[in-house]
């Protein structure tokens, strides 16, 4: 395990260093006992697939960017020829920049290393377009991205000025070498919809090779087609010199198109690009065959429900196709996933194996569960909570969700019960009941569970928050070892928090009975005191405290906060944890004896956890190591797990602390280091990045000045650690 060291004096003179977020490995099994290889990747809703060599072994690995939550999920390729074998590799997540909407990896500058092209919005001007982040490797062969330009520009033929190459918030453009000259071109729908615009990269033509981004609008009706968005059929032109529907050639600006996805590939090895089109209104992919050439595209045929040679693509709704080799046979395959956020088939990825050749692909359907079949994915949202349902003193897990997509217009919510079949030192979870409490029959939406013995009979009762802001109670009619949640009471205590009730049963005021905390869509957590007893709970319909701790989970620019609270006793003191709309997890102290006051925000390693939107935490020590573990649900419908970091070696007390000096700081090429007031000259020097990775180390036999070369380090903050006679001294420095 590697640790993320921070200088103690940098954080309020603490006397220890905190480790960085540490992933917790928990085994999850299906009901038949089969393990889920990717159980805790966090699920997927709208994945966009690309390949790149993450670890420098010259083998293309796999990464998907999820439009839902704007997260990158990387996998290392462990497969051999004809084999699909990936390992989840979250250690590579920090290398990816913060982007949104779409993100595709392409080698635009022909250096053999993939670059990132993504949607970009300029908050100052409101312009939307595409940013470019160049991929490279540092002196330690680590992958990194550097922003080259926040906006791609183009000029119109014959014009001197340039314009922003804008892209719709819902579209996925095609990024490919259309004219076979070696540089990267772009296809994108006209801003008003219907017609595809071809932006030719003139990097080669202007003598820059292929490493520049110099675009000209070369064709405003590429392929001579028109997509109406009201039918799966695309209108073709009958002449290569005439745009479909436009005898006078100039495309008319119709109403804005709903949304489309584009993918180009040469299906027949004739040197020009065919086109796969997905549309917001439909569940099919349309293949358009190019009868023109590399210079002038002209589509002459369409296969509306592609591929007809196999199971046609049907994916409700708005499918997007991605062309990558995922089975290591040297031929690119086809992956298809939903591109729309919201009511769509959001736990499906279609895999079509290329059974043809690298130059003339033939796609055959294999599965609709590529990767996702090995994940915990409840569709949209996951709301986990720990509870010992069967009385074996091991914490089981119950997970609710917003909904799973069944078909268009039909959504369902349910509770999954995972029994802990492991030990007190190593939790292991098996799916026992996919519909705990038989809640499917009621057609509830957004069910978030909490448990507690509110009737004093010794077993765990279940309280569930709903989308409408109300609660339902399911009292346990079974025993401490065999639960039976058969007695349902709707509209419990007439409590209504507006929307998206997220309850927790917990003894807030420490008077021996269970009170209620309920998060809401607006971002506040309401506190309801139990004025009854341990055997007969009693709650008013009005909260005791409307905004618990005065914590509002709305962040800048967010209208809703979607608070997901958890009050936890740590070492005899309460700490208030709360997830929110933007995917953060906040921690607060100063809770005890301050239930109507303001809590104190605690800076911790939790601040570095980013798992996409709508974080919903479950917290407990599930492996008996004395440290709190965190299971986090998110809007993608999946789970991730972390554990409290082990405290690293303590620093010297300030009265004995030596003086470690670094200058200049910041620096660009080298730094000079001195360590004063030490009695031994044998010093071990180490340099770490802020991911806790050891970058360099040296041994010196003198306290004289140490000259450390840093010109190969990427720009950023680093930690220098000096060890002498088991005493540790640290200082941060910045590489410009």
């Amino acid at each position: 395990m590697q640790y993320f060291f921070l200088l103690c004096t940098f954080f309020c003179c603490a006397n220890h260093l905190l480790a960085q977020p540490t992933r917790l490995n928990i085994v999850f099994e299906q009901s038949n006992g089969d393990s889920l290889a990717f159980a805790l990747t966090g699920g997927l809703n709208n994945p966009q697939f690309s390949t790149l060599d993450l670890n420098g072994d010259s083998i293309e690995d796999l990464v998907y960017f999820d439009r839902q939550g704007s997260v990158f999920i990387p996998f290392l390729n462990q497969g051999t020829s004809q084999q699909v074998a990936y390992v989840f590799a979250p250690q590579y997540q920090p290398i990816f920049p913060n982007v949104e909407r779409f993100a595709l990896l392409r080698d635009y500058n022909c250096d053999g290393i993939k670059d990132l092209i993504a949607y970009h919005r300029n908050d100052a001007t409101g312009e939307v377009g595409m940013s470019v982040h160049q991929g490279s490797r540092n002196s330690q062969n680590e992958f990194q991205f550097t922003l080259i330009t926040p906006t791609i520009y183009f000029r119109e033929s014959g014009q001197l000025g340039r314009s922003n190459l804008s892209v719709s918030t819902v579209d996925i453009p095609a990024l490919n070498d259309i004219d076979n000259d070696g540089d990267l071109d772009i296809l994108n729908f006209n801003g008003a919809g219907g017609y595809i615009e071809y932006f030719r990269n003139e990097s080669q033509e202007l003598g820059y090779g292929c490493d520049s981004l110099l675009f000209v609008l070369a064709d405003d009706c590429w392929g001579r087609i028109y997509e109406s968005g009201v039918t799966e059929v695309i209108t073709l032109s009958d002449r290569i010199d005439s745009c479909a529907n436009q005898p006078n050639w100039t495309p008319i600006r119709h109403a804005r198109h709903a949304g489309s996805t584009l993918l180009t590939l040469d299906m027949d090895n004739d040197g020009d690009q065919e086109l796969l089109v997905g549309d917001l209104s439909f569940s099919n992919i349309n293949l358009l065959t190019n009868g023109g050439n590399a210079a002038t595209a002209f589509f002459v045929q369409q296969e509306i429900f592609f591929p007809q040679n196999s199971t046609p693509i049907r994916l409700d709704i708005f499918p997007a196709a991605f062309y990558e080799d995922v089975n290591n046979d040297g031929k690119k395959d086809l992956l298809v996933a939903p591109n729309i956020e919201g009511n769509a088939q959001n736990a499906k990825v279609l895999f079509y194996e290329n059974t043809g050749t690298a130059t003339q692909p033939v796609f055959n359907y294999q599965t609709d569960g590529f990767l996702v079949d090995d994940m915990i994915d409840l569709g949209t949202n996951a709301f986990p909570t720990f509870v010992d349902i069967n009385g074996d003193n091991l914490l089981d897990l119950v997970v609710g969700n917003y909904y799973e997509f069944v078909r268009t217009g039909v959504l369902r919510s349910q509770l999954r019960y995972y029994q802990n079949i492991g030990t007190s030192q190593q939790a292991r979870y098996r799916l026992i009941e996919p519909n705990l409490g038989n809640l499917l029959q009621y057609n509830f939406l957004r069910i978030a569970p909490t448990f507690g013995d509110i009737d004093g009979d010794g077993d765990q009762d279940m309280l569930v928050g709903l989308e409408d802001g109300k609660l339902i109670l399911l009292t346990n009619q079974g025993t401490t070892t065999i639960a039976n949640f058969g007695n349902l009471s709707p509209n419990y205590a007439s409590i209504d928090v507006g929307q998206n009730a997220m309850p927790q049963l917990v003894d807030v005021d420490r008077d021996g009975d269970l009170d209620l905390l309920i998060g809401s869509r607006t971002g506040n957590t309401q506190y309801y005191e139990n004025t009854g007893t341990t055997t007969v709970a009693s709650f008013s319909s009005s909260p005791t405290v409307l905004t618990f701790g005065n914590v509002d989970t709305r962040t800048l620019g967010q209208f809703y906060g979607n608070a997901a609270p958890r009050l936890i006793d740590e070492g005899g003191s309460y700490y208030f944890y709360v997830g929110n709309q933007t995917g953060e997890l906040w921690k607060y102290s100063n809770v005890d004896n301050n239930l109507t006051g303001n809590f104190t925000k605690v800076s911790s390693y939790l601040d570095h956890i980013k798992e996409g939107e709508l974080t919903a935490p479950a917290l407990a020590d599930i492996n008996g190591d004395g440290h709190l573990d965190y299971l986090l649900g998110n809007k993608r419908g999946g789970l991730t797990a972390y554990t409290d970091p082990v405290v690293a070696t303590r620093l010297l007390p300030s009265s004995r602390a030596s003086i470690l000096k670094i200058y200049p700081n910041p620096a660009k090429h080298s730094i000079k280091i001195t360590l004063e007031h030490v009695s031994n000259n044998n010093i071990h020097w180490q340099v770490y990045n802020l991911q806790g990775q050891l970058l360099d180390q040296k041994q010196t036999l003198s306290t004289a000045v140490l000259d450390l070369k840093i010109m190969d380090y990427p720009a950023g903050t680093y930690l220098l650690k000096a060890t002498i006679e088991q005493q540790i001294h640290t200082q941060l420095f910045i590489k410009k």
Side-chain angles (χ1 to χ4, degrees), residues 322-582:
F322 306 92
Y323 190 40
E324 302 288 355
D325 179 12
V326 297
N327 65 351
N328 298 290
D329 63 355
K331 302 176 296 184
K332 289 187 177 183
D333 309 295
L334 199 66
L335 299 174
V336 184
N339 186 53
I340 190 172
E341 298 177 71
N343 301 340
Q345 202 163 346
N346 51 18
K348 297 290 184 184
V349 177
L350 279 57
F351 168 38
Y352 287 80
E353 182 184 0
N354 182 357
T355 57
T357 66
T359 56
Q360 291 183 290
V362 175
F363 298 113
N364 278 285
Y365 173 79
Q366 302 297 312
T367 179
D368 65 0
F370 179 76
L371 295 185
V372 72
D373 277 352
D374 274 311
M375 298 178 185
I376 293 176
D377 194 325
L378 282 76
T380 295
N381 287 105
F383 308 123
T385 189
F386 291 116
V387 57
D388 181 9
I389 286 185
N390 60 350
D392 62 356
N393 295 316
L394 299 176
L395 286 175
D396 307 307
L397 180 67
V398 176
V399 189
N401 68 339
Y402 194 164
Y403 60 81
E404 279 188 288
F405 180 92
V406 180
R407 60 184 178 276
T408 300
V410 179
L411 310 173
R412 66 183 182 189
S413 297
Q414 62 198 88
L415 294 176
R416 293 187 187 179
Y417 164 41
Y418 294 87
Q419 182 180 331
N420 189 345
I421 60 172
T423 67
S424 58
Q425 285 74 43
Q426 182 62 60
R428 186 183 187 96
Y429 290 100
R430 177 177 293 173
L431 180 62
I432 299 298
E433 172 57 66
N435 184 26
L436 186 67
N438 195 26
L439 295 184
L440 273 176
Q441 63 180 314
Y442 301 107
N443 296 318
F444 293 130
L445 283 178
R446 206 177 194 278
I447 52 178
T450 184
F451 292 84
D453 182 8
I454 64 172
D455 55 11
D457 64 354
D459 55 32
Q460 296 290 322
D461 306 300
M462 179 164 59
L463 196 65
V464 176
L466 301 176
E467 182 189 34
D468 63 6
K470 299 177 182 179
L471 306 174
I472 57 173
L473 173 67
L474 293 95
T475 53
N476 190 344
Q477 303 298 300
T479 65
T480 56
T481 57
I482 302 176
N484 178 15
F485 301 106
N487 186 12
L488 185 148
S489 300
N491 197 21
Y492 179 69
S494 298
I495 291 173
D496 187 347
V497 298
Q499 282 184 290
N500 298 354
M502 289 288 296
Q504 183 193 10
L505 283 166
V506 57
D507 185 4
V508 176
D509 54 10
R510 297 188 185 273
D511 66 350
D513 56 31
L514 292 175
D515 307 300
L516 256 176
L517 294 176
I518 310 175
S520 71
R521 187 185 188 193
T522 56
N524 64 313
T525 297
Q526 300 182 18
Y527 163 42
Y528 294 80
E529 181 186 357
N530 185 353
T531 58
T533 66
T534 57
T535 56
V536 181
S538 179
F539 297 99
S540 169
S541 59
S542 299
T544 307
V545 178
L546 180 61
T547 303
F548 192 55
N550 281 317
V551 175
D552 186 341
T553 61
R554 288 174 297 181
T555 56
L556 184 64
Q558 293 289 332
F559 189 69
Y560 298 112
N562 275 308
R566 285 293 181 266
L567 186 65
I568 301 294
D569 189 311
E570 297 181 53
S573 297
Y574 269 142
Y575 287 87
F576 181 59
Y577 294 82
V578 60
N580 69 358
Q581 173 74 33
T582 56

Side-chain angles (χ1 to χ4, degrees), residues 4 6 18-22 566 568 570 575-580 583-588 601-611 615 617-619 628-632 641-645:
F4 173 17
L6 293 174
L18 294 178
Q20 84 157 21
T22 303
R566 285 293 181 266
I568 301 294
E570 297 181 53
Y575 287 87
F576 181 59
Y577 294 82
V578 60
N580 69 358
E584 298 166 309
L585 180 60
W586 298 345
K587 179 179 180 180
Y588 292 85
K601 183 83 176 289
V602 178
S603 294
S604 73
Y605 92 109
L606 299 174
D607 299 336
H608 300 281
I609 293 176
K610 306 294 181 185
E611 292 294 349
T615 304
L619 294 80
L628 203 58
D629 304 311
Y630 306 84
L631 196 65
L632 306 180
Y642 295 86
T643 187
D644 251 348

Side-chain angles (χ1 to χ4, degrees), residues 47-66:
Q48 301 166 15
F49 292 91
S50 298
T51 57
L52 77 165
D53 180 7
L54 283 167
N55 56 357
D57 63 356
S58 299
I59 298 174
E60 291 286 278
D61 305 302
L62 185 69
V63 62
Y64 68 79
F65 171 78
D66 205 308

Side-chain angles (χ1 to χ4, degrees), residues 182-321:
D183 53 27
L184 188 72
D185 307 305
I186 297 174
L187 296 177
N188 189 32
F189 264 95
N190 178 291
Y195 299 96
I196 298 173
E197 295 177 331
Y198 167 36
F199 298 90
R200 186 178 66 236
N201 190 348
E202 296 196 321
S203 180
Q204 292 279 21
E205 288 86 343
L206 296 175
Y208 296 102
C210 60
D211 66 349
S212 297
L213 300 163
L214 303 169
F215 292 96
V216 61
L217 178 57
D219 194 338
D220 56 10
C221 188
W222 189 77
R224 310 297 180 251
I225 63 171
Y226 174 71
E227 186 207 30
S228 68
V230 298
T231 174
E232 296 100 330
V233 179
I234 291 176
T235 304
L236 307 181
S237 174
D238 57 0
R239 290 166 37 196
I240 195 171
D241 61 349
S242 177
C243 187
N245 285 358
Q246 302 302 324
N248 297 323
W249 179 251
T250 303
I252 296 175
R253 299 288 177 172
H254 292 265
R256 184 174 182 83
H257 77 304
S260 299
T261 62
L262 301 176
L263 175 70
T264 58
L265 67 168
D266 187 354
M267 292 285 293
D268 49 15
N269 197 28
D270 64 351
D272 55 37
Q273 298 289 313
E274 274 67 54
L275 183 68
L276 295 180
V277 182
D279 187 276
L280 174 63
S281 304
F282 308 109
S283 59
N284 68 301
I285 289 280
N286 194 334
L287 168 66
L288 301 175
T289 300
N290 195 343
N293 51 55
T296 304
F298 177 49
F299 293 118
V300 296
Q301 184 178 342
Q302 57 185 308
E303 189 173 320
I304 300 172
F305 299 103
F306 172 80
Q308 291 182 356
N309 63 285
S310 183
T311 302
I313 294 167
R314 303 291 293 188
L315 189 61
D316 290 338
I317 196 167
F318 197 9

Side-chain angles (χ1 to χ4, degrees), residues 41 52 54 61-64 72-76 87-94 96:
T41 59
L52 77 165
L54 283 167
D61 305 302
L62 185 69
V63 62
Y64 68 79
F72 288 92
I73 308 297
F75 297 85
L76 290 178
V87 175
F88 178 42
Q91 66 270 27
Y92 292 99
Q93 282 180 309
F96 292 96

